Amino acid sequence: ADGHPHAEGVVAHIEHALNVCGGDHVGIGTDGGTSQIDDMQAYGAYLAKQVADRAKQGLGASGERADTYPFVIDLRGPEQFHKLAALLKARGHSQARIEKIMGLNFLRFASDVWGSLGFSESPAARAGIQALPWWIRGPARRCDGGSGRSDR
């Protein structure tokens, strides 16, 4: 093991959350951007400088290392959510479940919260969002290969 998180660990974590919380209460998002990092050597040098600068200023975290990336090494770039959806599909999850994980649970939760605050409908509903946004769903993509399977 190289010490970095990998996609299969993210899938295992999602599946654990599904087992603990159920399919209506699990979602995934990003804390940062989705920019592709193709030159890992250059990025490593950049990160090493940042870590050294923080240490020099006394701001570094205990145990912080320059070779610890702030992202999942094989889930980076603009296709990271498409890849994650495909990995979930390969593990047998249904299209409906994947869509909930990838954003519909968040939309439902936001709608519930906004509704409890007196809004007649959520901003998403007012904007006509009925399913996942295109940047998550992609153009005409189905994670279940069109089978409609919903048993998992």
Side-chain angles (χ1 to χ4, degrees):
D2 62 8
H4 296 289
H6 290 276
E8 67 268 7
V10 174
V11 171
H13 186 77
I14 290 170
E15 289 178 335
H16 173 73
L18 289 166
N19 288 332
V20 171
C21 303
D24 290 332
H25 306 286
V26 177
I28 187 136
T30 178
D31 291 341
T34 57
S35 298
Q36 181 68 31
I37 299 171
D38 293 318
D39 188 344
M40 290 303 293
Q41 188 172 7
Y43 180 76
Y46 166 78
L47 193 57
K49 182 179 179 338
Q50 283 191 331
V51 169
D53 288 347
R54 281 194 297 276
K56 187 185 216 179
Q57 297 171 23
L59 301 173
S62 175
E64 183 177 29
R65 298 180 359 209
D67 65 342
T68 302
Y69 306 129
F71 51 81
V72 178
I73 194 78
D74 53 345
L75 284 178
R76 65 182 193 271
E79 292 293 317
Q80 64 186 321
F81 294 110
H82 297 293
K83 182 176 182 180
L84 183 57
L87 291 168
L88 290 166
K89 176 192 171 212
R91 296 275 300 164
H93 296 277
S94 70
Q95 173 76 13
R97 176 174 272 186
I98 293 167
E99 287 182 357
K100 284 181 176 184
I101 293 167
M102 301 304 290
L104 288 181
N105 281 339
F106 286 127
L107 288 175
R108 179 191 38 82
F109 176 76
S111 181
D112 291 350
V113 169
W114 286 318
S116 72
L117 296 174
F119 291 99
S120 61
E121 61 182 348
S122 74
R126 284 197 308 271
I129 298 172
Q130 301 298 320
L132 290 179
W134 66 267
W135 61 87
I136 295 174
R137 177 179 34 81
R141 292 186 184 198
R142 286 186 60 107
C143 295
D144 64 4
S147 70
R149 188 175 141 194
S150 61
D151 59 332
R152 184 166 181 209

mmCIF file with all atom_site columns, all heavy atoms in Angstrom, residues 33-39 73 75-80:
data_model
loop_
_atom_site.group_PDB
_atom_site.id
_atom_site.type_symbol
_atom_site.label_atom_id
_atom_site.label_alt_id
_atom_site.label_comp_id
_atom_site.label_asym_id
_atom_site.label_entity_id
_atom_site.label_seq_id
_atom_site.pdbx_PDB_ins_code
_atom_site.Cartn_x
_atom_site.Cartn_y
_atom_site.Cartn_z
_atom_site.occupancy
_atom_site.B_iso_or_equiv
_atom_site.pdbx_formal_charge
_atom_site.auth_seq_id
_atom_site.auth_comp_id
_atom_site.auth_asym_id
_atom_site.auth_atom_id
_atom_site.pdbx_PDB_model_num
ATOM 1   N N   . GLY A 1 33 ? -12.380 21.754 -5.757  1.00 0.00 ? 33 GLY A N   1
ATOM 2   C CA  . GLY A 1 33 ? -12.664 21.723 -7.183  1.00 0.00 ? 33 GLY A CA  1
ATOM 3   C C   . GLY A 1 33 ? -12.491 20.343 -7.771  1.00 0.00 ? 33 GLY A C   1
ATOM 4   O O   . GLY A 1 33 ? -12.167 19.384 -7.077  1.00 0.00 ? 33 GLY A O   1
ATOM 5   N N   . THR A 1 34 ? -12.715 20.273 -9.046  1.00 0.00 ? 34 THR A N   1
ATOM 6   C CA  . THR A 1 34 ? -12.569 18.995 -9.737  1.00 0.00 ? 34 THR A CA  1
ATOM 7   C C   . THR A 1 34 ? -11.523 19.101 -10.842 1.00 0.00 ? 34 THR A C   1
ATOM 8   O O   . THR A 1 34 ? -11.587 18.396 -11.834 1.00 0.00 ? 34 THR A O   1
ATOM 9   C CB  . THR A 1 34 ? -13.911 18.531 -10.335 1.00 0.00 ? 34 THR A CB  1
ATOM 10  O OG1 . THR A 1 34 ? -14.399 19.554 -11.206 1.00 0.00 ? 34 THR A OG1 1
ATOM 11  C CG2 . THR A 1 34 ? -14.925 18.244 -9.248  1.00 0.00 ? 34 THR A CG2 1
ATOM 12  N N   . SER A 1 35 ? -10.581 20.002 -10.664 1.00 0.00 ? 35 SER A N   1
ATOM 13  C CA  . SER A 1 35 ? -9.540  20.180 -11.682 1.00 0.00 ? 35 SER A CA  1
ATOM 14  C C   . SER A 1 35 ? -8.673  18.936 -11.801 1.00 0.00 ? 35 SER A C   1
ATOM 15  O O   . SER A 1 35 ? -8.342  18.305 -10.800 1.00 0.00 ? 35 SER A O   1
ATOM 16  C CB  . SER A 1 35 ? -8.640  21.371 -11.332 1.00 0.00 ? 35 SER A CB  1
ATOM 17  O OG  . SER A 1 35 ? -9.388  22.548 -11.308 1.00 0.00 ? 35 SER A OG  1
ATOM 18  N N   . GLN A 1 36 ? -8.319  18.622 -13.003 1.00 0.00 ? 36 GLN A N   1
ATOM 19  C CA  . GLN A 1 36 ? -7.444  17.488 -13.257 1.00 0.00 ? 36 GLN A CA  1
ATOM 20  C C   . GLN A 1 36 ? -6.015  17.851 -12.887 1.00 0.00 ? 36 GLN A C   1
ATOM 21  O O   . GLN A 1 36 ? -5.546  18.934 -13.201 1.00 0.00 ? 36 GLN A O   1
ATOM 22  C CB  . GLN A 1 36 ? -7.507  17.098 -14.738 1.00 0.00 ? 36 GLN A CB  1
ATOM 23  C CG  . GLN A 1 36 ? -6.649  15.910 -15.106 1.00 0.00 ? 36 GLN A CG  1
ATOM 24  C CD  . GLN A 1 36 ? -7.152  14.610 -14.498 1.00 0.00 ? 36 GLN A CD  1
ATOM 25  O OE1 . GLN A 1 36 ? -8.342  14.427 -14.297 1.00 0.00 ? 36 GLN A OE1 1
ATOM 26  N NE2 . GLN A 1 36 ? -6.241  13.716 -14.195 1.00 0.00 ? 36 GLN A NE2 1
ATOM 27  N N   . ILE A 1 37 ? -5.332  16.967 -12.202 1.00 0.00 ? 37 ILE A N   1
ATOM 28  C CA  . ILE A 1 37 ? -3.907  17.115 -11.907 1.00 0.00 ? 37 ILE A CA  1
ATOM 29  C C   . ILE A 1 37 ? -3.207  16.005 -12.672 1.00 0.00 ? 37 ILE A C   1
ATOM 30  O O   . ILE A 1 37 ? -3.250  14.846 -12.265 1.00 0.00 ? 37 ILE A O   1
ATOM 31  C CB  . ILE A 1 37 ? -3.628  17.023 -10.400 1.00 0.00 ? 37 ILE A CB  1
ATOM 32  C CG1 . ILE A 1 37 ? -4.362  18.142 -9.674  1.00 0.00 ? 37 ILE A CG1 1
ATOM 33  C CG2 . ILE A 1 37 ? -2.126  17.086 -10.130 1.00 0.00 ? 37 ILE A CG2 1
ATOM 34  C CD1 . ILE A 1 37 ? -4.338  18.029 -8.168  1.00 0.00 ? 37 ILE A CD1 1
ATOM 35  N N   . ASP A 1 38 ? -2.615  16.353 -13.796 1.00 0.00 ? 38 ASP A N   1
ATOM 36  C CA  . ASP A 1 38 ? -1.957  15.353 -14.636 1.00 0.00 ? 38 ASP A CA  1
ATOM 37  C C   . ASP A 1 38 ? -0.487  15.166 -14.288 1.00 0.00 ? 38 ASP A C   1
ATOM 38  O O   . ASP A 1 38 ? 0.046   14.080 -14.422 1.00 0.00 ? 38 ASP A O   1
ATOM 39  C CB  . ASP A 1 38 ? -2.080  15.737 -16.114 1.00 0.00 ? 38 ASP A CB  1
ATOM 40  C CG  . ASP A 1 38 ? -3.519  15.669 -16.596 1.00 0.00 ? 38 ASP A CG  1
ATOM 41  O OD1 . ASP A 1 38 ? -4.220  14.716 -16.236 1.00 0.00 ? 38 ASP A OD1 1
ATOM 42  O OD2 . ASP A 1 38 ? -3.933  16.589 -17.314 1.00 0.00 ? 38 ASP A OD2 1
ATOM 43  N N   . ASP A 1 39 ? 0.184   16.222 -13.874 1.00 0.00 ? 39 ASP A N   1
ATOM 44  C CA  . ASP A 1 39 ? 1.616   16.151 -13.583 1.00 0.00 ? 39 ASP A CA  1
ATOM 45  C C   . ASP A 1 39 ? 1.802   15.993 -12.076 1.00 0.00 ? 39 ASP A C   1
ATOM 46  O O   . ASP A 1 39 ? 1.966   16.975 -11.346 1.00 0.00 ? 39 ASP A O   1
ATOM 47  C CB  . ASP A 1 39 ? 2.313   17.419 -14.104 1.00 0.00 ? 39 ASP A CB  1
ATOM 48  C CG  . ASP A 1 39 ? 3.820   17.342 -14.006 1.00 0.00 ? 39 ASP A CG  1
ATOM 49  O OD1 . ASP A 1 39 ? 4.334   16.467 -13.266 1.00 0.00 ? 39 ASP A OD1 1
ATOM 50  O OD2 . ASP A 1 39 ? 4.482   18.167 -14.650 1.00 0.00 ? 39 ASP A OD2 1
ATOM 51  N N   . ILE A 1 73 ? -6.390  9.607  -4.974  1.00 0.00 ? 73 ILE A N   1
ATOM 52  C CA  . ILE A 1 73 ? -5.448  9.607  -6.092  1.00 0.00 ? 73 ILE A CA  1
ATOM 53  C C   . ILE A 1 73 ? -6.080  9.177  -7.421  1.00 0.00 ? 73 ILE A C   1
ATOM 54  O O   . ILE A 1 73 ? -5.778  9.752  -8.463  1.00 0.00 ? 73 ILE A O   1
ATOM 55  C CB  . ILE A 1 73 ? -4.195  8.761  -5.747  1.00 0.00 ? 73 ILE A CB  1
ATOM 56  C CG1 . ILE A 1 73 ? -3.070  9.013  -6.728  1.00 0.00 ? 73 ILE A CG1 1
ATOM 57  C CG2 . ILE A 1 73 ? -4.511  7.296  -5.659  1.00 0.00 ? 73 ILE A CG2 1
ATOM 58  C CD1 . ILE A 1 73 ? -2.334  10.279 -6.494  1.00 0.00 ? 73 ILE A CD1 1
ATOM 59  N N   . LEU A 1 75 ? -9.416  9.219  -8.062  1.00 0.00 ? 75 LEU A N   1
ATOM 60  C CA  . LEU A 1 75 ? -10.702 9.898  -8.259  1.00 0.00 ? 75 LEU A CA  1
ATOM 61  C C   . LEU A 1 75 ? -10.418 11.395 -8.261  1.00 0.00 ? 75 LEU A C   1
ATOM 62  O O   . LEU A 1 75 ? -10.707 12.108 -7.309  1.00 0.00 ? 75 LEU A O   1
ATOM 63  C CB  . LEU A 1 75 ? -11.700 9.569  -7.140  1.00 0.00 ? 75 LEU A CB  1
ATOM 64  C CG  . LEU A 1 75 ? -12.364 8.221  -7.156  1.00 0.00 ? 75 LEU A CG  1
ATOM 65  C CD1 . LEU A 1 75 ? -13.275 8.063  -5.942  1.00 0.00 ? 75 LEU A CD1 1
ATOM 66  C CD2 . LEU A 1 75 ? -13.141 7.992  -8.437  1.00 0.00 ? 75 LEU A CD2 1
ATOM 67  N N   . ARG A 1 76 ? -9.824  11.849 -9.333  1.00 0.00 ? 76 ARG A N   1
ATOM 68  C CA  . ARG A 1 76 ? -9.531  13.276 -9.437  1.00 0.00 ? 76 ARG A CA  1
ATOM 69  C C   . ARG A 1 76 ? -9.848  13.735 -10.846 1.00 0.00 ? 76 ARG A C   1
ATOM 70  O O   . ARG A 1 76 ? -9.843  12.958 -11.782 1.00 0.00 ? 76 ARG A O   1
ATOM 71  C CB  . ARG A 1 76 ? -8.077  13.571 -9.070  1.00 0.00 ? 76 ARG A CB  1
ATOM 72  C CG  . ARG A 1 76 ? -7.043  12.976 -10.002 1.00 0.00 ? 76 ARG A CG  1
ATOM 73  C CD  . ARG A 1 76 ? -5.631  13.297 -9.505  1.00 0.00 ? 76 ARG A CD  1
ATOM 74  N NE  . ARG A 1 76 ? -4.624  13.030 -10.491 1.00 0.00 ? 76 ARG A NE  1
ATOM 75  C CZ  . ARG A 1 76 ? -4.009  11.876 -10.658 1.00 0.00 ? 76 ARG A CZ  1
ATOM 76  N NH1 . ARG A 1 76 ? -4.323  10.850 -9.890  1.00 0.00 ? 76 ARG A NH1 1
ATOM 77  N NH2 . ARG A 1 76 ? -3.095  11.725 -11.595 1.00 0.00 ? 76 ARG A NH2 1
ATOM 78  N N   . GLY A 1 77 ? -10.148 15.000 -10.957 1.00 0.00 ? 77 GLY A N   1
ATOM 79  C CA  . GLY A 1 77 ? -10.456 15.559 -12.262 1.00 0.00 ? 77 GLY A CA  1
ATOM 80  C C   . GLY A 1 77 ? -11.936 15.589 -12.538 1.00 0.00 ? 77 GLY A C   1
ATOM 81  O O   . GLY A 1 77 ? -12.761 15.140 -11.739 1.00 0.00 ? 77 GLY A O   1
ATOM 82  N N   . PRO A 1 78 ? -12.289 16.137 -13.679 1.00 0.00 ? 78 PRO A N   1
ATOM 83  C CA  . PRO A 1 78 ? -13.697 16.354 -14.008 1.00 0.00 ? 78 PRO A CA  1
ATOM 84  C C   . PRO A 1 78 ? -14.526 15.074 -14.116 1.00 0.00 ? 78 PRO A C   1
ATOM 85  O O   . PRO A 1 78 ? -15.738 15.119 -13.970 1.00 0.00 ? 78 PRO A O   1
ATOM 86  C CB  . PRO A 1 78 ? -13.661 17.074 -15.356 1.00 0.00 ? 78 PRO A CB  1
ATOM 87  C CG  . PRO A 1 78 ? -12.256 17.440 -15.616 1.00 0.00 ? 78 PRO A CG  1
ATOM 88  C CD  . PRO A 1 78 ? -11.389 16.690 -14.660 1.00 0.00 ? 78 PRO A CD  1
ATOM 89  N N   . GLU A 1 79 ? -13.909 13.939 -14.341 1.00 0.00 ? 79 GLU A N   1
ATOM 90  C CA  . GLU A 1 79 ? -14.661 12.686 -14.488 1.00 0.00 ? 79 GLU A CA  1
ATOM 91  C C   . GLU A 1 79 ? -14.771 11.895 -13.187 1.00 0.00 ? 79 GLU A C   1
ATOM 92  O O   . GLU A 1 79 ? -15.284 10.779 -13.183 1.00 0.00 ? 79 GLU A O   1
ATOM 93  C CB  . GLU A 1 79 ? -14.000 11.814 -15.568 1.00 0.00 ? 79 GLU A CB  1
ATOM 94  C CG  . GLU A 1 79 ? -14.130 12.391 -16.967 1.00 0.00 ? 79 GLU A CG  1
ATOM 95  C CD  . GLU A 1 79 ? -15.569 12.407 -17.455 1.00 0.00 ? 79 GLU A CD  1
ATOM 96  O OE1 . GLU A 1 79 ? -16.297 11.414 -17.259 1.00 0.00 ? 79 GLU A OE1 1
ATOM 97  O OE2 . GLU A 1 79 ? -15.971 13.440 -18.030 1.00 0.00 ? 79 GLU A OE2 1
ATOM 98  N N   . GLN A 1 80 ? -14.321 12.485 -12.061 1.00 0.00 ? 80 GLN A N   1
ATOM 99  C CA  . GLN A 1 80 ? -14.273 11.715 -10.820 1.00 0.00 ? 80 GLN A CA  1
ATOM 100 C C   . GLN A 1 80 ? -15.637 11.183 -10.397 1.00 0.00 ? 80 GLN A C   1
ATOM 101 O O   . GLN A 1 80 ? -15.742 10.045 -9.919  1.00 0.00 ? 80 GLN A O   1
ATOM 102 C CB  . GLN A 1 80 ? -13.646 12.531 -9.704  1.00 0.00 ? 80 GLN A CB  1
ATOM 103 C CG  . GLN A 1 80 ? -14.414 13.769 -9.297  1.00 0.00 ? 80 GLN A CG  1
ATOM 104 C CD  . GLN A 1 80 ? -13.662 14.606 -8.286  1.00 0.00 ? 80 GLN A CD  1
ATOM 105 O OE1 . GLN A 1 80 ? -13.030 14.076 -7.398  1.00 0.00 ? 80 GLN A OE1 1
ATOM 106 N NE2 . GLN A 1 80 ? -13.732 15.907 -8.435  1.00 0.00 ? 80 GLN A NE2 1
#
